Amino acid sequence: QVQLGESGGGLVQAGDSLRLSCASSGFTFSTYSMAWFRQAPGKEREFVAFITYFGRADYADSVRGRFTISRDNAKNMVYLHLNSLQPEDTAVYYCAARRGADRVTMTSGYAYWGQGTQVTVSS
């Protein structure tokens, strides 16, 4: 059974940092590319960051330079380091998994999803 479980969200102030974690099981993690998406209230889920199974990363323009995605294939974990957080970063953050190394930003391109973790940034 495939499982993705996010953790690390919380309530922070503008300018603070957080590290989100996503624990994966039930599939061959080292052969899947992983991504983080987020969904703010009343908005569609949007792409945040992507990392291939061999470690190549890419980001949405809105977070490039502030967020860093990483993975540990030995632990079946993917992380998202969020720095210089702003109120507009407030959202539920989801991790997702897909086969292949293509940079895919559409939610339909991902086979597996976690339940999400809430990040709230106060001004």
Side-chain angles (χ1 to χ4, degrees), residues 12-122:
V12 298
Q13 293 186 332
D16 285 350
S17 299
L18 279 176
R19 188 184 79 160
L20 307 183
S21 301
C22 175
S24 306
S25 63
F27 63 100
T28 308
F29 181 79
S30 62
T31 66
Y32 276 68
S33 295
M34 302 296 294
W36 286 92
F37 286 74
R38 66 186 180 185
Q39 188 166 17
K43 295 187 177 181
E44 293 187 353
R45 195 169 299 188
E46 66 174 2
F47 168 78
V48 174
F50 169 85
I51 188 166
T52 65
Y53 50 86
F54 51 87
R56 177 174 58 86
D58 200 6
Y59 302 90
D61 289 342
S62 59
V63 307
R64 186 174 288 113
R66 298 190 299 124
F67 293 6
T68 302
I69 189 171
S70 62
R71 65 188 295 159
D72 185 336
N73 286 346
K75 297 181 179 179
N76 289 0
M77 297 288 294
V78 62
Y79 305 98
L80 186 68
H81 298 256
L82 298 76
N83 296 316
S84 301
L85 282 161
Q86 299 301 316
E88 53 266 34
D89 295 316
T90 294
V92 177
Y93 284 71
Y94 300 89
C95 67
R98 68 179 303 274
R99 295 290 301 270
D102 294 334
R103 179 185 182 271
V104 174
T105 61
M106 296 178 61
T107 57
S108 59
Y110 291 82
Y112 306 131
W113 290 85
Q115 294 300 308
T117 185
Q118 176 72 47
V119 172
T120 303
V121 185
S122 63

